[in-house]
Amino acid sequence: MLDMMSLCFLESQVLLCKLVQISVHLWVTGEETISQQAFLILKDISMVFNSECFDSCLINMYKAFLHDCDIPKANSEQRPFLRDSLVELCSQDVQKSYTKASVSITQLAKLLKMALATKNKVLLSICMLFLLLKSYLICLLSLFQFL
């Protein structure tokens, strides 16, 4: 099945990008089985196609995960699955994922420094949102040190 998918989507980068977007959406919003199947599609895309596809999958999943963490849910049982699957995707290319995580932490530090210097309430609220992210990034970085 993956070979047929490879042939179809290799021809059109637009179709591949659309598949990534739809799969990420289903990964975050779908029920358990749909979310798992969407993750498997994303994992296959990131392994089979070029490194740009890995970047696209990683970045889109990361953004969707952050957005999901920002929304308070009564049923947040899916978050551990989302976190674990994001870590699993990161483990496919540890070097690239580690670099992206380091850049994100650096950007967060710059935002915090600027918010504290200006005492801008908007920046402070953005930083508070990213503090949750920081814990996940530190978890990722510590995981990569053991691989």
Side-chain angles (χ1 to χ4, degrees):
M1 178 184 151
L2 189 59
D3 292 332
M4 290 177 54
M5 185 176 79
S6 299
L7 290 174
C8 292
F9 289 106
L10 190 59
E11 293 297 318
S12 173
Q13 192 70 19
V14 174
L15 286 177
L16 188 59
C17 291
K18 194 68 174 167
L19 178 63
V20 169
Q21 289 175 346
I22 292 169
S23 297
V24 167
H25 177 73
L26 291 174
W27 171 69
V28 171
T29 60
E31 293 179 7
E32 185 177 344
T33 304
I34 293 173
S35 185
Q36 291 172 352
Q37 294 302 316
F39 171 68
L40 292 176
I41 290 170
L42 290 165
K43 186 177 171 184
D44 286 345
I45 289 171
S46 65
M47 286 190 320
V48 172
F49 295 103
N50 58 20
S51 67
E52 289 178 21
C53 291
F54 175 80
D55 290 345
S56 177
C57 289
L58 182 63
I59 290 168
N60 286 320
M61 288 175 69
Y62 180 71
K63 287 179 181 179
F65 179 72
L66 288 179
H67 182 68
D68 185 68
C69 289
D70 188 34
I71 300 171
K73 290 185 186 176
N75 184 9
S76 61
E77 297 168 355
Q78 188 180 10
R79 284 195 184 135
F81 166 73
L82 296 177
R83 181 196 62 223
D84 293 344
S85 57
L86 188 57
V87 169
E88 185 175 338
L89 187 72
C90 289
S91 67
Q92 286 185 359
D93 190 343
V94 176
Q95 181 66 32
K96 188 176 281 190
S97 300
Y98 183 84
T99 303
K100 290 195 179 293
S102 296
V103 167
S104 296
I105 289 175
T106 303
Q107 289 173 343
L108 174 61
K110 287 178 183 177
L111 270 175
L112 283 170
K113 186 176 180 180
M114 189 168 45
L116 291 173
T118 62
K119 297 191 177 161
N120 187 332
K121 290 184 180 185
V122 174
L123 282 176
L124 285 173
S125 64
I126 291 172
C127 291
M128 295 312 264
L129 168 68
F130 283 111
L131 286 177
L132 175 65
L133 162 69
K134 180 183 171 187
S135 64
Y136 288 113
L137 287 174
I138 290 171
C139 177
L140 282 174
L141 290 173
S142 63
L143 171 74
F144 292 142
Q145 291 174 353
F146 292 111
L147 293 177

